[in-house]
Amino acid sequence: MKVAGYVLAGGRSVRMGRDKALLPYAGGTLIEHVAGRMREAAGSATIVGHPERYRALGLPAMGEEFAGCGPLSGIEAALRATGEGWAAIVACDMPAVTVTWLRCLIAAAGEGGTEAVVTLGQGGRAEPLCAVYHTGLHADVLKALKAGEFSVKALLAGRRVRWQAAESEAVAANVNTPQDWVAWSR
């Protein structure tokens, strides 16, 4: 099964007040930490966002054709770049994501019969930015973006999705605000 790993970092980090991806974490930056986990799980980790912003990190990075249109834009870029197979996606602001969990999602995709495998986080809430998507979805993702429809959850409605309950509540937790970061850093 062909799988390529991606870390989405195209957001503006408005609630954080600065680029979340570049927060200091585990001896580097948050995005380096998350990318390391993805690389170990999927064999690769490409940042989807602003390549010039992350160039100094030495990680592969690519831009988005629909930048500013939310996470669906990052998913589109990843699916397009993958070509054929599966794109493993994780947001750059998930410090507790584990290699084990990412491998679990990838393995579930390999069982067949699905178009996506999506994490269910705290309270059973879908976390579509910790997921694996089949490249067969690319045409519909592109169509939605061109129509101005940017909801990942709407795209998944009526699809063959395997919903995977997270191994822990923390696995799919995002750090969106300075308060989240302080709480997480403890």
Side-chain angles (χ1 to χ4, degrees):
M1 179 173 98
K2 180 184 173 192
V3 179
Y6 299 91
V7 180
L8 300 189
R12 296 184 316 240
S13 299
V14 172
R15 289 179 283 173
M16 183 63 73
R18 64 183 191 156
D19 190 348
K20 293 185 282 188
L22 298 177
L23 290 169
Y25 189 74
T29 62
L30 182 55
I31 198 165
E32 288 172 304
H33 171 76
V34 174
R37 300 267 170 106
M38 179 59 82
R39 186 174 33 260
E40 191 174 337
S44 67
T46 300
I47 297 171
V48 180
H50 308 283
E52 63 284 348
R53 186 179 299 167
Y54 306 111
R55 187 175 326 244
L57 300 176
L59 297 169
M62 60 188 229
E64 302 169 70
E65 184 177 336
F66 297 90
C69 294
L72 193 60
S73 172
I75 293 169
E76 186 280 327
L79 292 173
R80 181 173 19 93
T82 301
E84 193 172 310
W86 294 86
I89 304 280
V90 68
C92 70
D93 62 356
M94 294 183 164
V97 72
T98 65
V99 173
T100 301
W101 182 247
L102 293 171
R103 285 181 177 159
C104 175
L105 294 174
I106 292 166
E111 293 172 10
T114 62
E115 295 172 285
V117 180
V118 178
T119 298
L120 289 178
Q122 188 174 9
R125 193 182 95 236
E127 183 46 75
L129 301 186
C130 188
V132 183
Y133 295 91
H134 192 272
T135 55
L137 288 172
H138 182 255
D140 289 338
V141 171
L142 189 58
K143 181 179 174 183
L145 285 164
K146 287 181 176 181
E149 299 165 6
F150 307 135
S151 170
V152 179
K153 290 179 184 177
L155 175 81
L156 293 174
R159 300 276 178 188
R160 294 174 311 194
V161 178
R162 174 173 285 162
W163 305 97
Q164 290 284 121
E167 63 183 15
S168 74
E169 287 187 10
V171 135
N174 303 80
V175 289
N176 290 311
T177 67
Q179 295 78 16
D180 292 345
W181 186 242
V182 167
W184 176 256
S185 298
R186 291 185 188 147

